[in-house]
Amino acid sequence: MIPDKSHPVWKKVVFGQKPLTSSQLGLQMLLKRISTRITPASPAADVQAAIEELHNFFTKFERILVDEIKSLGV
Amino acid sequence: MKKVLMSVTEVSALIQSGKALALAGDESLLAQLPQGNWIGGTIPYFVGENGGVQSRELIYVSELEGEISATSVRTYSTGTISRIAADAPDNGYSVLIIPALTPIHVQYAKEARDYQDMFLKPVIGWIAGVHLDDLGKVTPKVFNGQTGEILSEAAVALHAALPEDCIATIEILNLFRQGRGDVLTFPETGFSAATCRVNGKETSFADYVNQNKLDLALPLVADYNGAQINTSFQGIEGQQVNFYAPVFAGMEYRQAAPVGDYVHEFEALSQGQHEGTPFACNCILNYLYGKLEGRKTGDLTGPITFGEIGYQLLNQTQVILKIVRQ
């Protein structure tokens, strides 16, 4: 089950405080782009946009992200 | 193995039967094809059913068959290329072909990762090129088969929709891994660099490359959460080091670790269950350094390109489209 986008785990992921391993190239590239743009000092709107994008990715590809969803640990 | 290299007559018949096709071949061949549901780009190098080959007589055919429920073909300019993923169907994929050494090539390479819906919708494809003997004499071209346009400054895409029970994903095969050498960062995003930071200390990058006798066949590699993403060296001009893809400002690079036997390692990497892959392509540097001409490596075929697209522009990488049915 994918946690709701308001769940704190997403903020940890976009801040790089919760490492996520994946073999899905799209997710690897998305996480890299987020990590180069978003820090805890980033504007709240930018952080929220990154969370939305990541959540959308998980929602769309839920069927092939079984291990990644487990590793969110929620 | 399925036949992928075909004559103009054979490809014309496929087009007339309504197939959705991504084609690669010499400009004079692609220009003879009838209008239809296809896109194409120029290149005379391929890995065909019998291995690596160069040909100005045959066209490489990626038949985007099977699961597709709908397709559309579009032309993109520098003003519209940012829509590439947004225009794609919600569930499907897009095959994109961009002519090399053009403003749209540079723009896509630098900015694609920030385009709307990029990564949510798989964009795969390649950079069209020319025979290496024709570099500087002939311009790479792309073809919009639906309109009959032959373009040297624009890109073409075939957007394919998939049924609900299918998902498209992109995989890469990369020989290279980050080595254990210096950490390199660059002050600006670009296809060339005069300076870089070596373990945090600013230096002339050309001097660094020369003094350390870097093997330019080994790309710079960045670690994208486990995915090893290459930026290949083109060469050094004075104090400028040129690349085949941009280095990104702030990204940490290391030069790739040496590979043992390039040919055998590539062969080992290419083995696998790739039958039914709708689209794959490989880099001309792998073709040259890996001596792929006349050799068969694994069961992957595809055009040999001046750059690969797996969402972003890639170098020295085999890119593969997979359709997962669940």
Side-chain angles (χ1 to χ4, degrees):
Chain A
M1 177 102 176
I2 300 171
D4 188 82
K5 64 179 76 161
S6 62
H7 196 286
V9 73
W10 296 113
K11 204 171 264 187
K12 287 183 182 169
V13 174
V14 300
F15 289 162
Q17 294 161 350
K18 173 142 192 85
L20 261 188
T21 57
S22 175
S23 59
Q24 293 297 327
L25 181 66
L27 181 56
Q28 290 170 313
M29 286 185 156
L30 175 58
L31 288 168
K32 186 66 177 180
R33 195 196 65 202
I34 289 171
S35 76
T36 59
R37 298 277 162 75
I38 301 295
T39 70
S42 297
D46 292 355
V47 174
Q48 194 53 38
I51 289 172
E52 300 247 350
E53 196 174 8
L54 194 56
H55 190 270
N56 287 344
F57 189 98
F58 271 77
T59 303
K60 178 170 182 182
F61 294 104
E62 180 174 6
R63 284 177 285 176
I64 57 170
L65 294 177
V66 176
D67 293 339
E68 290 83 350
I69 292 166
K70 265 189 210 158
S71 72
L72 289 173
V74 177
Chain B
M1 186 177 277
K2 189 178 170 184
K3 182 173 176 171
V4 289
L5 287 171
M6 300 186 195
S7 67
V8 167
T9 307
E10 289 171 313
V11 180
S12 298
L14 279 180
I15 292 169
Q16 279 156 350
S17 74
K19 300 270 191 190
L21 307 172
L23 306 174
D26 190 82
E27 181 179 344
S28 65
L29 303 182
L30 297 176
Q32 296 175 48
L33 297 172
Q35 284 177 237
N37 199 17
W38 64 275
I39 58 170
T42 53
I43 198 75
Y45 306 98
F46 320 100
V47 174
E49 53 270 38
N50 298 313
V53 64
Q54 55 171 300
S55 171
R56 292 183 195 254
E57 284 82 44
L58 296 170
I59 296 170
Y60 185 93
V61 179
S62 300
E63 219 175 297
L64 307 174
E65 60 187 342
E67 321 289 357
I68 297 175
S69 55
T71 60
S72 66
V73 173
R74 292 201 188 176
T75 296
Y76 289 94
S77 66
T78 51
T80 58
I81 188 65
S82 63
R83 297 279 315 159
I84 180 72
D87 285 347
D90 283 340
N91 186 41
Y93 62 87
S94 303
V95 180
L96 173 64
I97 310 177
I98 300 174
L101 314 169
T102 56
I104 197 168
H105 176 194
V106 174
Q107 182 179 321
Y108 187 86
K110 288 182 176 177
E111 299 175 5
R113 64 184 188 154
D114 290 316
Y115 291 165
Q116 183 187 338
D117 285 353
M118 186 57 76
F119 308 123
L120 277 176
K121 298 177 181 175
V123 178
I124 192 167
W126 56 287
I127 306 299
V130 294
H131 193 286
L132 295 175
D133 292 345
D134 293 337
L135 274 175
K137 300 177 214 160
V138 177
T139 54
K141 306 282 193 320
V142 299
F143 290 69
N144 180 328
Q146 215 155 63
T147 61
E149 291 170 289
I150 304 174
L151 305 150
S152 58
E153 296 283 335
V156 290
L158 193 153
H159 298 294
L162 293 171
E164 281 297 305
D165 61 342
C166 292
I167 291 179
T169 64
I170 298 173
E171 294 181 7
I172 57 173
L173 296 179
N174 185 2
L175 271 184
F176 301 102
R177 295 282 173 273
Q178 279 192 324
R180 294 184 179 179
D182 297 320
V183 175
L184 309 173
T185 56
F186 297 88
E188 288 172 19
T189 296
F191 277 71
S192 62
T195 61
C196 76
R197 286 186 175 274
V198 179
N199 302 321
K201 189 180 170 193
E202 189 166 329
T203 187
S204 155
F205 191 42
D207 290 348
Y208 174 81
V209 169
N210 288 325
Q211 283 159 13
N212 290 280
K213 296 185 172 59
L214 297 194
D215 177 357
L216 299 190
L218 299 175
L220 298 180
V221 183
D223 186 329
Y224 283 50
N225 281 75
Q228 304 286 291
I229 303 299
N230 304 333
T231 301
S232 301
F233 288 100
Q234 188 177 37
I236 303 175
E237 272 183 288
Q239 280 299 301
Q240 197 96 321
V241 180
N242 298 320
F243 308 104
Y244 286 111
V247 288
F248 289 98
M251 187 82 74
E252 290 191 350
Y253 297 88
R254 283 189 159 100
Q255 194 179 26
V259 290
D261 180 319
Y262 200 107
V263 177
H264 286 106
E265 297 227 7
F266 195 81
E267 209 159 49
L269 196 65
S270 304
Q271 299 290 347
Q273 301 295 316
H274 300 115
E275 195 69 33
T277 299
F279 179 86
C281 65
N282 202 346
C283 180
I284 192 148
L285 298 178
N286 281 341
Y287 185 84
L288 296 173
Y289 299 145
K291 299 180 176 62
L292 296 187
E293 187 160 330
R295 298 183 64 101
K296 203 166 182 320
T297 50
D299 55 358
L300 279 169
T301 62
I304 296 296
T305 74
F306 277 31
E308 304 73 63
I309 297 168
Y311 303 99
Q312 298 178 205
L313 177 65
L314 306 173
N315 287 159
Q316 281 177 274
T317 301
Q318 172 102 42
V319 180
I320 306 160
L321 178 67
K322 288 268 174 84
I323 308 295
V324 180
R325 182 183 275 276
Q326 288 188 326

